[in-house]
Amino acid sequence: MRADNRYRNYMVRLGLLISVVLVLVVAGATLYFSDLFPVEEIKVEGAEHLTTREMEALAQVPSDTTLLRVDTGAIEKNLLRDAWIQDVAIHRDFPNTLRIVVTEREISAVVEVPTENAKSTQPWAISSDGIWLMAIPDQDTDIGQTISQQIYTDVENVLHITDVPYGIEPEIGSHCSDENVNNALAIVAGMTTELADQVKTVSATDAESTKLTLDNGVEIAFGKAEDIREKERVCLELMKQNPDKIAYINVRSVDRVTYRSL
């Protein structure tokens, strides 16, 4: 009798548990497929190089979706296809707001890429992690007026990599595979002193002869991205000892430093 009572109590509790689970499943399914919590507002945070229209086109949020049904994984995947976007976080702010927080890549440099006929160059924005971001159109063109103007502000303030060899073929979203451009990026990224802020252009004909030009006109034959801190120290010390008198410094080999005065 005791065994029968325990079994009946067990079955009663099991039945109640199953009933509760079924009620929750039905309630959840009803909520999921209902029109409750429709997405009425989409907030985007962190986007400076992509316009609101570009973000909407990339995200492709269905117009009839709700906060419960919205496929955040698909939206994230859509956004990460764009070279500017490095990371995405999507939040549901009940009752009606979908908040998209993006982390953008920043323009590390502008590379003057020779055109097909090698008679001119096309500026390309490249990120610090070596991703080709976009070809920069003239600001006065129709395309230039439709993209984020923050791009042009950044272009004015970053260094320019010039004299790169003919044959580089940038592709949006791909990693730069050119040794000379990557060497130039590594040099500037590896600098830790105030010298980095003074670099205006980098001539990257080949890695061995990479040359920096400072905003005061001083040219530095820097060479490969090796012994960067020591090369910085030498350059700063020489310019400190010869204020406004240095025109050229060769630190390709830190053991055989040469310089030329004005």
Side-chain angles (χ1 to χ4, degrees):
M1 289 179 64
R2 285 197 298 270
D4 288 344
N5 286 334
R6 285 197 298 270
Y7 178 74
R8 281 195 296 271
N9 290 336
Y10 169 77
M11 292 304 294
V12 169
R13 289 195 296 270
L14 181 60
L16 288 173
L17 179 61
I18 292 173
S19 298
V20 170
V21 171
L22 286 174
V23 169
L24 291 175
V25 169
V26 172
T30 302
L31 280 174
Y32 182 83
F33 290 106
S34 73
D35 292 328
L36 289 175
F37 310 118
V39 176
E40 296 179 351
E41 183 181 11
I42 300 174
K43 290 183 178 179
V44 178
E45 299 176 5
E48 294 185 347
H49 300 94
L50 292 168
T51 64
T52 301
R53 180 178 296 180
E54 289 170 329
M55 285 293 297
E56 290 175 352
L58 285 169
Q60 298 180 25
V61 180
S63 58
D64 60 345
T65 194
T66 69
L67 290 181
L68 297 178
R69 289 200 307 269
V70 65
D71 189 344
T72 57
I75 295 172
E76 180 179 346
K77 185 177 179 181
N78 291 338
L79 291 171
L80 288 173
R81 288 194 182 108
D82 192 277
W84 283 106
I85 299 179
Q86 189 171 34
D87 194 20
V88 182
I90 301 175
H91 306 275
R92 297 176 175 90
D93 292 344
F94 288 90
N96 305 112
T97 302
L98 188 69
R99 183 160 52 92
I100 301 174
V101 182
V102 300
T103 301
E104 288 187 327
R105 288 185 171 88
E106 297 181 356
I107 300 177
S108 176
V110 173
V111 184
E112 300 292 342
V113 178
T115 56
E116 223 175 279
N117 57 16
K119 293 182 179 179
S120 61
T121 59
Q122 168 66 56
W124 272 80
I126 192 169
S127 66
S128 56
D129 57 350
I131 297 293
W132 292 110
L133 297 173
M134 66 178 296
I136 308 296
D138 290 338
Q139 192 169 9
D140 295 332
T141 61
D142 291 339
I143 296 177
Q145 292 299 308
T146 59
I147 65 176
S148 170
Q149 297 305 293
Q150 180 64 41
I151 293 172
Y152 293 102
T153 301
D154 291 352
V155 166
E156 290 180 3
N157 294 318
V158 298
L159 66 90
H160 284 234
I161 299 176
T162 63
D163 304 319
V164 298
Y166 176 78
I168 294 178
E169 297 181 354
E171 184 176 336
I172 294 175
S174 66
H175 280 274
C176 175
S177 58
D178 184 77
E179 177 187 356
N180 309 309
V181 173
N182 288 334
N183 185 70
L185 290 174
I187 289 172
V188 178
M191 287 182 168
T192 58
T193 68
E194 64 270 24
L195 190 67
D197 297 328
Q198 300 176 39
V199 179
K200 190 68 175 177
T201 63
V202 181
S203 175
T205 305
D206 62 75
E208 189 65 43
S209 59
T210 300
K211 181 180 68 176
L212 315 182
T213 300
L214 307 185
D215 51 17
N216 61 2
V218 176
E219 294 182 345
I220 301 174
F222 207 89
K224 292 185 177 181
E226 301 169 349
D227 302 317
I228 295 176
R229 291 186 179 180
E230 180 62 16
K231 290 178 179 180
E232 281 185 281
R233 186 193 65 78
V234 170
C235 291
L236 290 171
E237 186 64 27
L238 282 172
M239 289 189 291
K240 182 179 179 181
Q241 294 174 358
N242 303 273
D244 302 323
K245 294 180 181 179
I246 295 287
Y248 173 85
I249 304 173
N250 185 337
V251 289
R252 285 197 293 260
S253 173
V254 290
D255 297 327
R256 297 187 300 275
V257 176
T258 60
Y259 70 93
R260 185 172 66 246
S261 300
L262 293 171

